[in-house]
Amino acid sequence: HEARSLRYASSAIRATASPRSLSTSASTSPQFTVTLFPGHGVGPEISVAVQNIFNAADVPIVWDEHHIDVDNAKPGQDLISADALDSLRRNRFGLKGPMATPIGKGYRSLNLTLRKALGLYANVRPCVSIPGVQTPYDDVDVVTV
């Protein structure tokens, strides 16, 4: 089965790995496993709102939630765990809320860390219709860079 991208909020990322995040059975619609980084500040509130929107639209998503602790960070330390990065690679889909990078020398931006770890050097936003999900437009297949 070919994995289709979901349309996300402005802070979405799409990892590059094999299409294991899409599962189907003969009697059901595709189900997507999406890695979620709720983020910091207003991030958790925004993430819950986006989850509610997808739920209301009956988008078949299972959320694999990972929290990034910046409160106990030490300079030079990786702030994003290997487990969280593995989740993104495995699921191929991710949604992140706004993230705070600790202030001070020795900290690398969380967004930069994600982009480098996943080889994402452009802001790519795919938007593809999902079979079985009703929207005002049919057969959407657009990518903005």
Side-chain angles (χ1 to χ4, degrees), residues 35-59:
T35 301
L36 173 65
F37 295 114
H40 310 106
V42 299
E45 183 178 348
I46 292 170
S47 296
V48 167
V50 171
Q51 287 176 293
N52 289 339
I53 291 166
F54 282 131
N55 188 44
D58 291 325
V59 178

Side-chain angles (χ1 to χ4, degrees), residues 63-110:
W63 300 98
D64 183 8
E65 194 166 327
H66 293 266
H67 294 271
I68 296 172
D69 181 15
V70 296
D71 295 328
N72 299 312
K74 295 177 178 64
Q77 172 186 11
D78 286 335
L79 298 177
I80 301 174
S81 70
D83 184 49
L85 289 173
D86 288 345
S87 172
L88 278 170
R89 289 182 183 109
R90 179 180 59 253
N91 295 332
R92 295 193 57 198
F93 299 100
L95 177 68
K96 63 173 265 322
M99 293 184 174
T101 297
I103 297 173
K105 292 184 178 182
Y107 297 104
R108 185 163 67 167
S109 157
L110 291 168

Side-chain angles (χ1 to χ4, degrees), residues 8-9 16 28 41 47 49 54 68 76 99 121 141-142:
Y8 292 119
T16 55
T28 62
S47 296
F54 282 131
I68 296 172
M99 293 184 174
Y121 297 97
D141 192 357
V142 176

Side-chain angles (χ1 to χ4, degrees), residues 6 29-32 50-62 130-135:
L6 299 175
S29 297
Q31 182 171 345
F32 297 88
V50 171
Q51 287 176 293
N52 289 339
I53 291 166
F54 282 131
N55 188 44
D58 291 325
V59 178
I61 293 178
V62 173
I130 300 171
V133 177
Q134 296 296 316
T135 65

